[in-house]
């Protein structure tokens, strides 16, 4: 047996038992590496006489090609086996029954914020936000509530520094100032968010939620305000008709100001919103005071508009028959699974808000 035949048969035996890419790599080094068996043979060529060299070189090249082909074939064979093995391991049995799982619920306050945002977005309002930690200036002074104004006492403010310059916002109204200073009129925004007052009982929590509305443009009147709130209240309570009254009131940042009441009655111990001879206060509103526009760098000769503010938690309690506000913030999972909403059921006007 010639030297080349020997090499060839050693290779045949070894490639037959190669199982992995690593085995193949070792084989490649053994035969074609720097000191590999085939490489060695090429090195002997120089010492042969011309006639023999030609014949030997031709045989050597044939064997080299043959071994290289075998290595390539084996390599794709191993690759296939590996892919099939991987596919087999990654197989998912879709006939398995679903494992029982606990689904989270959307808190009624979040639900109501989504509902209200959806209702107002239908008529062109966009959602704006501001920080919970505010300056005394934005929370009061810029809103036409100077230092000695009695309205400040009514707010039971949490101040965060000794000089009473930084506070937890007592209402969402300071975002009116931020929004107007940050852009150019017209403005048409709603602002849901957290607000804080030092107060706690069955219907008051130190942290609660408000929603502010602001619409500033040319020629905006109290008529637009009434139309906007009439639309909102009907959409929110999902009723066709609702009794509503505007009661004169006072807020430093609006002139004139009003509070809005809606009619209701009690039927079988349940509240029925919309009709009846009882009145329920749901929000405060008015035409934005020219001083507020001035502080927010808006030309009050050219632009005017309305603002409103409402308590979100109270609206959620009314709509969903929840009678203790404190439960909202106790993070009791049993309460949430009863009063919470399906996370996949995003409220929209056209698909329905709460049903
Ligand atoms: N900020 C008021 C409050 O917390 C609510 C309010 C009333 C907001 C009238 C307004 C408004 O924008 O026009 O009690």
């Amino acid at each position: 047996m010639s030297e080349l035949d020997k090499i060839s048969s050693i290779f045949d035996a070894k490639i037959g038992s190669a199982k992995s890419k690593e085995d193949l790599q070792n084989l490649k080094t053994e035969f074609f590496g720097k000191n590999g068996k085939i490489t060695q043979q090429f090195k002997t060529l120089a010492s042969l006489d011309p006639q023999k060299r030609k014949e030997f070189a031709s045989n050597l090249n044939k064997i080299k090609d043959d071994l290289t082909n075998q290595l390539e074939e084996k390599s794709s064979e191993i690759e296939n086996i590996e892919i099939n093995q991987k596919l087999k391991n990654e197989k998912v049995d879709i006939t398995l029954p679903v494992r029982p799982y606990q689904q989270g619920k959307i808190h009624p306050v979040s639900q109501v914020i989504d509902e209200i945002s959806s209702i107002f977005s239908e008529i062109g309002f966009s959602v704006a936000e501001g920080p919970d930690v505010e300056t005394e200036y934005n929370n009061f002074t810029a809103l036409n509530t100077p230092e000695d104004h009695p309205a400040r006492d009514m707010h039971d403010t949490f101040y965060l520094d000794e000089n009473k310059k930084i506070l937890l916002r007592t209402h969402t109204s300071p975002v009116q100032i931020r929004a107007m200073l940050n852009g150019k009129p017209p403005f048409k925004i709603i602002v849901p968010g957290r607000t804080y007052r030092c107060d706690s009982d069955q219907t008051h929590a130190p942290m609660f939620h408000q929603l502010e509305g602001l619409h500033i443009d040319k020629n905006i009147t109290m008529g637009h305000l009434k139309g906007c709130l009439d639309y909102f209240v009907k959409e929110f309570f999902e009723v066709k008709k609702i009794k509503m009254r505007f009661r004169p009131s006072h807020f430093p940042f609006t002139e004139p100001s009003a509070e809005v009441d809606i009619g209701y009655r009690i039927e079988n111990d349940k509240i029925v919103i919309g009709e009846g001879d009882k009145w329920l206060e749901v929000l405060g509103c008015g035409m934005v005071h020219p001083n507020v526009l001035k502080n927010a760098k808006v030309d009050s000769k050219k632009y005017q508009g309305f603002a409103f503010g409402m308590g979100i938690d109270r609206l959620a309690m009314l709509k969903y028959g929840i009678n203790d506000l404190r439960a909202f913030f106790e993070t009791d999972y049993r309460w949430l699974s009863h009063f919470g909403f399906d996370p996949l059921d995003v409220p929209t006007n056209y698909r329905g808000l709460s049903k």
Side-chain angles (χ1 to χ4, degrees):
M1 200 190 249
S2 76
E3 189 59 25
L4 290 186
D5 288 341
K6 255 194 232 160
I7 293 178
S8 195
S9 65
I10 295 173
F11 181 88
D12 286 348
K14 290 203 167 175
I15 198 149
S17 57
K19 297 241 164 351
S20 64
K21 289 240 164 100
E22 204 183 344
D23 290 348
L24 280 188
Q25 189 53 47
N26 289 340
L27 212 54
K28 220 171 169 178
T29 315
E30 190 180 335
F31 288 82
F32 296 102
K34 221 162 141 209
N35 296 312
K37 291 190 166 64
I38 297 288
T39 320
Q40 293 288 355
Q41 293 302 318
F42 275 103
K43 285 183 187 160
T44 65
L45 278 175
S47 59
L48 298 176
D49 64 62
Q51 191 50 43
K52 262 197 161 166
R53 188 190 301 157
K54 208 174 159 193
E55 198 189 319
F56 188 71
S58 143
N59 285 341
L60 188 53
N61 274 322
K62 260 192 223 141
I63 289 195
K64 182 191 138 201
D65 290 346
D66 178 38
L67 301 197
T68 311
N69 284 341
Q70 285 196 57
L71 276 171
E72 271 167 19
E73 263 171 38
K74 190 76 180 183
S75 172
S76 58
E77 206 177 286
I78 288 178
E79 215 161 81
N80 275 339
I81 292 173
E82 279 178 0
I83 287 174
N84 285 334
Q85 192 61 38
K86 211 168 159 205
L87 286 176
K88 216 166 137 191
N89 291 344
E90 287 174 0
K91 203 164 122 182
V92 177
D93 184 354
I94 55 166
T95 65
L96 278 176
V98 179
R99 287 196 202 101
Y101 70 105
Q102 287 229 314
Q103 190 180 355
K105 289 278 187 143
I106 300 291
H107 194 284
V109 169
S110 307
Q111 166 80 14
V112 163
I113 290 176
D114 287 348
E115 289 179 18
I116 299 178
S117 306
S118 164
I119 294 170
F120 279 105
S121 74
E122 286 288 312
I123 53 169
F125 282 81
S126 52
V127 176
E129 281 182 318
D132 294 12
V133 175
E134 250 309 351
T135 59
E136 167 270 338
Y137 178 79
N138 283 345
N139 195 81
F140 291 124
T141 312
L143 288 164
N144 200 33
T145 319
E147 213 162 299
D148 51 0
H149 198 288
R152 288 208 183 194
D153 299 336
M154 282 154 51
H155 278 214
D156 303 309
T157 312
F158 286 113
Y159 286 98
L160 299 179
D161 66 336
E162 278 177 10
N163 299 330
K164 297 190 165 181
K165 292 286 174 220
I166 309 286
L167 44 77
L168 289 175
R169 65 178 178 192
T170 58
H171 49 177
T172 40
S173 305
V175 187
Q176 289 188 25
I177 303 295
R178 287 178 176 272
M180 289 192 278
L181 285 176
N182 261 330
K184 287 201 167 72
F187 301 102
K188 202 172 181 186
I189 54 164
I190 52 163
V191 184
R194 291 194 169 134
T195 45
Y196 305 82
R197 289 185 203 178
C198 189
D199 202 356
S200 181
D201 60 37
Q202 192 174 348
T203 54
H204 294 93
M207 189 283 290
F208 55 105
H209 299 84
Q210 278 195 348
L211 184 116
E212 194 78 12
L214 177 72
H215 186 188
I216 302 289
D217 205 338
K218 291 173 180 158
N219 307 319
I220 296 287
T221 69
M222 197 98 182
H224 295 108
L225 168 63
K226 276 186 100 167
C228 171
L229 292 177
D230 183 62
Y231 156 80
F232 163 70
V233 168
K234 280 196 279 203
E235 288 287 323
F236 181 72
F237 287 107
E238 300 175 55
V239 289
K240 291 225 159 46
K241 257 174 64 187
I242 207 154
K243 246 170 79 177
M244 198 164 108
R245 76 174 178 198
F246 281 66
R247 191 164 31 77
S249 183
H250 175 78
F251 300 103
F253 30 88
T254 42
E255 181 58 38
S257 305
E259 276 172 311
V260 174
D261 300 335
I262 54 174
Y264 76 99
R265 64 171 193 276
I266 301 287
E267 209 174 84
N268 302 329
D269 279 346
K270 279 219 169 99
I271 182 164
V272 182
I273 302 276
E275 283 167 63
D277 51 9
K278 291 186 161 60
W279 293 103
L280 198 78
E281 183 198 318
V282 285
L283 57 90
C285 61
M287 299 305 290
V288 177
H289 197 292
N291 286 351
V292 174
L293 293 174
K294 197 172 107 206
N295 293 335
K297 311 264 181 290
V298 173
D299 182 353
S300 64
K301 295 252 168 3
K302 265 194 188 157
Y303 293 98
Q304 59 180 345
F306 62 78
F308 55 84
M310 56 184 103
I312 295 175
D313 314 277
R314 216 167 109 80
L315 286 175
M317 288 168 80
L318 276 176
K319 184 164 178 180
Y320 294 114
I322 303 165
N323 50 27
D324 190 343
L325 175 69
R326 286 167 297 195
F328 274 64
F329 310 117
E330 275 169 0
T331 59
D332 183 335
Y333 187 74
R334 292 160 303 177
W335 181 87
L336 192 58
S337 25
H338 181 71
F339 285 109
F341 292 82
D342 188 333
L344 299 176
D345 223 0
V346 181
T348 56
N349 289 38
Y350 57 89
R351 271 217 328 251
L353 293 172
S354 62
K355 288 163 201 138

